[in-house]
Amino acid sequence: MVQIPNTPPPASPAPRSVPTSADVARLAGVSRATVSYVLNNTSAVRISEPTRRRVHEAAEELGYVPHAAARTLRAGHSRMVLMPAPAVPVGPLYGQFINELQWALGRLDYTVVQHGSVGLHGDEAARAWAELRPVAVLVPGIGLGPEGVAVLKRAGARAVVTVGPARVEGAHALLMDHGSVGHCAGSHLHARGRRRIGVVVPQEPGLEAFSRPRLDGVRRALYGTDASVAELPLAFDERAAAELAARWRELGLDAVFAYNDEYAMLLMCALQDEGIRIPDDTAVVGADDLMIGRLLRPRLSTVHIELPSGRDLADLVDRAVRDPDATPEAHRVLGASVVARDSS
Amino acid sequence: MVQIPNTPPPASPAPRSVPTSADVARLAGVSRATVSYVLNNTSAVRISEPTRRRVHEAAEELGYVPHAAARTLRAGHSRMVLMPAPAVPVGPLYGQFINELQWALGRLDYTVVQHGSVGLHGDEAARAWAELRPVAVLVPGIGLGPEGVAVLKRAGARAVVTVGPARVEGAHALLMDHGSVGHCAGSHLHARGRRRIGVVVPQEPGLEAFSRPRLDGVRRALYGTDASVAELPLAFDERAAAELAARWRELGLDAVFAYNDEYAMLLMCALQDEGIRIPDDTAVVGADDLMIGRLLRPRLSTVHIELPSGRDLADLVDRAVRDPDATPEAHRVLGASVVARDSS
DNA sequence: TTGAAAGCGGTACCAA
DNA sequence: TTGGTACCGCTTTCAA
């Protein structure tokens, strides 16, 4: 980092203590109760207009900001919806989903917070989240067990929603079965007459949660047919792709499901460099239906993934919060469908 | 969403009230003070081993989890580092940076929290953040003014760090001048003998913060030379790219800086479909040095961006927290360098 | 070694 | 219409 010469320090010495509602009350010449009534627009209590004005002015002048922790403590609950921040850089698909969700929950007057729980695992993380007493917790992926759910519930979470491959006892579930993505691809390739099918499994850590189910899905689609499946570990790296492509002919595969569109692009380019014709020698299918697939030549066949709308999930959370004793719902929310283009 | 039949409700009725340290004390037969001492390993006080055990067992049995809000309130401060959650899906580069940062701050015993402040703008958002009384705030992009910084400081934030194009009064700054990215690309193209240079400006909302400076950087690099710059609005969309490519010859450009590698790929493919030869007719330069650039043919020239390590930024935050009265530092942290490949 | 109690900031009940 | 005050859960000083 390159240090840059600093501008001279500002002349105004910062006020050194945080103003509280008592300070506001003092300045406005009223009680703390009145301040609270005014600033919260408490409808059960009528405050005269001049008093309101004085309170507002005092708050403004002091730069008063209420203390969320104090409010939470007193109220016994917060409106915080907590979700762990994703541990791996997440694709545009999922990123978009998270954004929508945040927006929709914001509309419902929840505060969405992503907790950076790096290094913490499973129920250990659950404890850290529970300390914040969120009103609801949204946990993508695996790693949260029934004990974790219980910890959160005991800590006052009125809703725990898991987003992943399997239900967890006591929690609502958004079942995102990535197996169906693989299943889609596998069925498609089989229908196209392919019988020796490779499946790329990324070596990047943190992707197993998706790659395993996708592989299993292909296996499931092909089980009991005359087709076979070969697992192809691959790092997201040109050299690794070239090496894989170099032994392609001896692998004797006539098709490959490449985990997603990015890996598909990587592998497809390597195969083309090797002189493998696509789709004639080998069919390639990606997943996620990203823009790049449309731009490749041949155009990349892919599995389009339909995620639930952020609004729907926000509504689910809201319902769960309002009725915490309802039996947990489970929803299947990952729609997968083949987009057949020219590479398969 | 497809509803799935629920499993029967679990037999165990959930304990309906959140256990407090008083409950633990009661069960262990000690005072709340002792519970606090034991659970926090307070070194100033020696507690007998049998007592410690009893407290731990009681806490375990009740599933006790401390109440962060209460602790914060009592302590007068928290160890929460707050940053707004990015409003647009963010690329792998920046995503990686955020992850590193979270990890590094976690190592320093801070709790990193991304606040989903959708719809809130500037100082309005600052107020929402201030309610959480974070010990430090990390604000990417623009939109936070000096008043916002003041609000946060008054609310007890010991460090405010902006990450963006310009300094903000009172805050530390990580200057990420995306102008240098454009400057790099512009200089490179000029050095290659190009004189009519187009610059792609994405139409996607939320990207202006990066696209404007990149455009300006190109302008700056070419200012006073015999080269000219043309602004090319472009949506991330095949049709838009095709339309732009269709009028390419009449635009009379011999080079284009495509904002980033993804837009470059989009445009390059459209140009090639149109019969424009790259780099002979038109040179193309991307940015961000993504994998896809290496896979394109011709291989895409790009601007490699060097971000600071998460560790460095975490250390900066930590220093600032420890010495809140130090004059704000400003660091220039965006390194840009051309990776010349075959498209320019 | 342990306990009693004050107090952090805000809310809401009850009284005036 | 407004004020006094108890209380939320936890930490920490002081006393025992």
Side-chain angles (χ1 to χ4, degrees):
Chain A
M1 295 200 273
V2 183
Q3 172 112 32
I4 290 182
N6 284 311
T7 51
S12 58
R16 269 287 33 112
S17 69
V18 186
T20 73
S21 77
D23 296 320
V24 177
R26 205 154 23 237
L27 183 58
V30 299
S31 73
R32 290 179 338 140
T34 306
V35 171
S36 177
Y37 294 143
V38 171
L39 296 184
N40 295 308
N41 268 317
T42 308
S43 53
V45 169
R46 301 248 67 89
I47 303 285
S48 71
E49 206 43 57
T51 304
R52 307 181 75 84
R53 224 173 16 79
R54 290 219 314 285
V55 169
H56 277 125
E57 284 171 4
E60 181 71 21
E61 177 173 342
L62 294 175
Y64 169 71
V65 174
H67 195 309
R71 197 206 306 270
T72 295
L73 184 58
R74 170 66 224 219
H77 60 88
S78 71
R79 302 261 315 157
M80 181 193 299
V81 175
L82 185 143
M83 42 197 299
V88 291
V90 78
L93 213 69
Y94 193 68
Q96 182 61 36
F97 172 62
I98 302 255
N99 274 3
E100 263 188 45
L101 176 62
Q102 289 196 349
W103 185 84
L105 283 171
R107 300 265 325 185
L108 294 172
D109 204 38
Y110 293 98
T111 301
V112 182
V113 149
Q114 290 180 252
H115 188 278
S117 11
V118 278
L120 303 180
H121 286 299
D123 302 333
E124 184 184 4
R127 183 148 290 132
W129 304 335
E131 293 196 3
L132 295 176
R133 297 290 191 272
V135 68
V137 182
L138 221 61
V139 197
I142 49 185
L144 185 74
E147 318 79 25
V149 174
V151 166
L152 290 168
K153 287 275 183 88
R154 254 200 313 269
R158 294 167 66 87
V160 179
V161 182
T162 63
V163 181
R167 303 191 59 156
V168 178
E169 175 78 34
H172 298 264
L174 252 50
L175 293 172
M176 289 196 175
D177 177 17
H178 282 260
S180 65
V181 177
H183 193 277
C184 241
S187 306
H188 169 72
L189 288 170
H190 187 265
R192 284 283 209 258
R194 308 290 170 159
R195 290 300 177 267
R196 289 272 302 148
I197 298 175
V199 176
V200 169
V201 179
Q203 294 303 282
E204 275 62 41
L207 259 41
E208 310 88 7
F210 308 109
S211 61
R212 276 297 133 193
R214 289 186 183 189
L215 170 61
D216 293 341
V218 178
R219 285 226 166 88
R220 200 151 31 79
L222 267 28
Y223 185 76
T225 72
D226 54 340
S228 67
V229 173
E231 195 174 330
L232 303 172
L234 176 62
F236 195 64
D237 172 65
E238 257 186 305
R239 214 171 41 74
E243 280 169 15
L244 177 56
R247 20 185 218 98
W248 198 256
R249 292 178 211 275
E250 72 193 59
L251 285 168
L253 301 172
D254 59 9
V256 59
F257 171 55
Y259 173 68
N260 74 6
D261 288 353
E262 294 184 304
Y263 282 84
M265 178 175 183
L266 175 64
L267 180 57
M268 203 162 104
C269 291
L271 291 176
Q272 287 173 326
D273 283 353
E274 196 65 29
I276 314 279
R277 292 166 307 162
I278 296 169
D280 309 85
D281 299 329
T282 298
V284 178
V285 172
D288 291 0
D289 194 9
L290 302 183
M291 171 66 76
I292 56 168
R294 276 187 275 264
L295 301 175
L296 292 174
R297 299 295 180 267
R299 288 169 217 273
L300 181 64
S301 296
T302 190
V303 179
H304 177 83
I305 294 179
E306 192 79 45
L307 256 31
S309 83
R311 283 211 34 156
D312 287 346
L313 179 45
D315 287 342
L316 168 63
V317 169
D318 190 44
R319 278 202 312 277
V321 166
R322 295 175 119 86
D323 183 5
D325 294 321
T327 51
E329 304 173 16
H331 298 276
R332 190 159 276 146
V333 292
L334 189 145
S337 54
V338 167
V339 179
R341 291 199 276 247
D342 309 330
S343 69
S344 64
Chain B
M1 295 201 274
V2 182
Q3 172 110 30
I4 290 182
N6 285 310
T7 51
S12 59
R16 272 284 33 109
S17 70
V18 186
T20 73
S21 75
D23 296 320
V24 177
R26 205 155 22 238
L27 183 57
V30 299
S31 74
R32 292 160 61 214
T34 305
V35 171
S36 178
Y37 293 142
V38 171
L39 296 184
N40 294 310
N41 268 316
T42 309
S43 52
V45 170
R46 300 249 65 89
I47 303 284
S48 69
E49 206 43 57
T51 305
R52 307 182 76 84
R53 225 171 18 77
R54 291 219 312 286
V55 169
H56 276 124
E57 284 171 4
E60 180 73 20
E61 177 173 342
L62 294 175
Y64 170 70
V65 174
H67 194 309
R71 175 183 292 149
T72 295
L73 186 56
R74 170 66 225 226
H77 59 88
S78 73
R79 302 245 337 143
M80 181 193 299
V81 174
L82 186 143
M83 43 196 301
V88 290
V90 79
L93 212 69
Y94 193 68
Q96 183 60 36
F97 172 62
I98 302 253
N99 274 2
E100 262 188 44
L101 176 62
Q102 288 196 349
W103 185 84
L105 283 171
R107 301 266 324 185
L108 294 172
D109 203 38
Y110 292 97
T111 300
V112 182
V113 148
Q114 290 180 251
H115 189 278
S117 9
V118 278
L120 303 181
H121 287 299
D123 302 332
E124 184 184 4
R127 182 148 290 130
W129 305 334
E131 294 197 2
L132 296 175
R133 297 291 192 271
V135 68
V137 182
L138 220 61
V139 198
I142 50 185
L144 185 73
E147 318 78 28
V149 175
V151 166
L152 290 168
K153 287 275 182 89
R154 257 201 312 269
R158 293 167 65 87
V160 179
V161 182
T162 62
V163 181
R167 302 192 59 158
V168 178
E169 175 78 33
H172 298 263
L174 251 49
L175 293 172
M176 289 195 175
D177 177 17
H178 282 260
S180 66
V181 177
H183 193 276
C184 240
S187 305
H188 168 73
L189 289 170
H190 188 264
R192 285 282 210 261
R194 310 289 171 159
R195 290 300 178 267
R196 288 274 301 149
I197 298 176
V199 177
V200 169
V201 179
Q203 293 304 281
E204 276 60 40
L207 259 40
E208 311 88 7
F210 308 108
S211 60
R212 275 297 135 195
R214 290 187 182 189
L215 169 62
D216 292 341
V218 177
R219 287 226 165 87
R220 202 151 29 82
L222 268 26
Y223 186 75
T225 72
D226 54 340
S228 67
V229 173
E231 194 174 330
L232 304 171
L234 176 62
F236 196 64
D237 171 64
E238 257 185 305
R239 214 170 42 74
E243 280 169 14
L244 177 56
R247 5 182 234 107
W248 199 255
R249 292 177 210 274
E250 71 194 59
L251 285 168
L253 301 172
D254 59 9
V256 59
F257 170 55
Y259 173 67
N260 74 6
D261 288 353
E262 293 184 305
Y263 282 84
M265 178 175 183
L266 175 65
L267 180 56
M268 203 163 104
C269 291
L271 291 176
Q272 287 174 326
D273 284 352
E274 195 66 27
I276 313 280
R277 290 166 308 162
I278 296 170
D280 309 84
D281 300 330
T282 298
V284 178
V285 172
D288 293 359
D289 194 9
L290 302 183
M291 171 66 76
I292 56 168
R294 275 186 276 263
L295 301 175
L296 291 174
R297 298 294 180 269
R299 288 168 217 273
L300 181 65
S301 296
T302 190
V303 179
H304 177 83
I305 294 179
E306 192 78 46
L307 256 31
S309 82
R311 283 213 34 158
D312 287 346
L313 178 46
D315 287 342
L316 167 64
V317 169
D318 190 44
R319 278 203 313 277
V321 166
R322 294 175 119 87
D323 183 6
D325 294 321
T327 51
E329 303 173 16
H331 297 275
R332 190 159 275 147
V333 293
L334 189 146
S337 54
V338 167
V339 178
R341 290 200 275 248
D342 308 330
S343 68
S344 66

